[in-house]
Amino acid sequence: MAGTVYVTTIILILGVGSQALDLLKATSVLGDPPSTPKVHCWCSSYPNVTFCSWPEPLPSHPTQYIATYSERDGNADPKTCHLVPPGSSSSALTTESPPSLSEQLWHCHLPNLKLLTEYILNITAVHSGGSSFHLSSFMLEDIVKPDPPVDVRVSPLATKHVLVEWSPPPTWTSTDIFPLKYQILYQWEIRGSPKFNNLGPFENTKAELKGLIPGRTYQFQVCAKEMLGLGQCSDWSSPVKITIPTTKL
């Protein structure tokens, strides 16, 4: 029937903390509404660099987004989030993302968030078939996630010993005020069966590992986490492989 409006509402309560409330609503006017944005938020450099992202929907109708955020307990009007379209080289997008992935994601930059404050985020998708929105809440301390460490290097020191070195993620700009700690993941195979060991935390950007097997090939990766344990560890760094020498150096 012409002019009929269909409204579907789904409410999911997850508990206190990051993504504590997820309220999804879709409205259709004589057509299919846009898919509800699947939003992921993280702070890649505490406390000043916070992003939210969601996938670019499959081509159908041209879709526009309205992104706002506000303090849950504040009386101020919502602020507009700076939108960065997929594939953009905007200077606001300082977080490290794989090129193939970043080209498919919308990003929303939330600058100058307050510490220990709960925020409400609203991402609304609009096109000719209707609208849908994602409404969620988070605290900055719950969504801290640095970018991966870079420049991982593995050097043999002696028989069965290696030195693993790395550099902090360049996007984490406050290592003097908010230092990082690190974990090392190294993996190997025995008769085709994968084995691994996870070591740390390390407060320095290097570590000496002992007891490795000469002639065996190992793969090393490093992740970074805020020193006090806020949020979660970064994704693992790019892997580095090395075969342990069978003769003395």
Side-chain angles (χ1 to χ4, degrees):
M1 181 181 297
T4 302
V5 177
Y6 301 94
V7 177
T8 303
T9 302
I10 303 174
I11 299 178
L12 175 64
I13 304 295
L14 298 178
V16 178
S18 174
Q19 304 297 320
L21 170 65
D22 205 356
L23 173 61
L24 311 178
K25 182 177 180 179
T27 302
S28 175
V29 182
L30 294 180
D32 293 328
S35 58
T36 301
K38 297 180 179 180
V39 181
H40 167 66
C41 297
W42 74 102
C43 174
S44 61
S45 183
Y46 184 76
N48 296 320
V49 182
T50 302
F51 285 94
C52 297
S53 68
W54 57 95
E56 169 83 335
L58 295 175
S60 55
H61 304 280
T63 303
Q64 295 181 330
Y65 293 97
I66 303 169
T68 61
Y69 63 100
S70 61
E71 296 177 32
R72 175 182 282 277
D73 298 326
N75 296 319
D77 293 333
K79 298 179 181 179
T80 301
C81 178
H82 177 69
L83 286 174
V84 182
S88 173
S89 58
S90 170
S91 60
L93 188 57
T94 58
T95 189
E96 297 291 328
S97 300
S100 61
L101 182 60
S102 62
E103 291 175 358
Q104 304 170 22
L105 294 178
W106 281 84
H107 287 85
C108 166
H109 182 213
L110 290 72
N112 304 318
L113 298 184
K114 296 179 181 178
L115 307 185
L116 301 173
T117 301
E118 190 170 7
Y119 284 91
I120 303 294
L121 175 74
N122 187 337
I123 308 294
T124 300
V126 181
H127 67 41
S128 58
S131 65
S132 64
F133 66 79
H134 167 102
L135 186 66
S136 60
S137 69
F138 66 88
M139 290 184 67
L140 188 58
E141 288 72 20
D142 293 328
I143 62 170
V144 174
K145 184 180 180 181
D147 287 325
V150 297
D151 195 24
V152 178
R153 308 171 302 281
V154 184
S155 307
L157 289 181
T159 305
K160 302 182 180 182
H161 294 187
V162 297
L163 178 66
V164 183
E165 302 174 276
W166 59 89
S167 298
T171 49
W172 189 272
T173 57
S174 303
T175 52
D176 53 339
I177 303 174
F178 299 104
L180 296 169
K181 58 185 177 181
Y182 304 91
Q183 290 178 280
I184 296 175
L185 174 68
Y186 68 95
Q187 305 177 71
W188 67 97
E189 288 188 359
I190 298 179
R191 302 185 189 91
S193 178
K195 307 291 181 180
F196 70 92
N197 201 355
N198 194 329
L199 302 177
F202 301 96
E203 297 184 10
N204 297 319
T205 56
K206 62 181 178 180
E208 182 178 345
L209 306 186
K210 302 179 180 181
L212 305 181
I213 305 299
R216 178 174 291 168
T217 298
Y218 293 87
Q219 175 179 286
F220 297 86
Q221 292 173 282
V222 184
C223 77
K225 190 173 185 179
E226 195 276 332
M227 179 66 75
L228 297 180
L230 298 179
Q232 59 181 302
C233 213
S234 71
D235 293 335
W236 291 105
S237 66
S238 299
V240 174
K241 290 186 177 182
I242 185 174
T243 300
I244 306 303
T246 56
T247 58
K248 292 184 179 181
L249 299 178

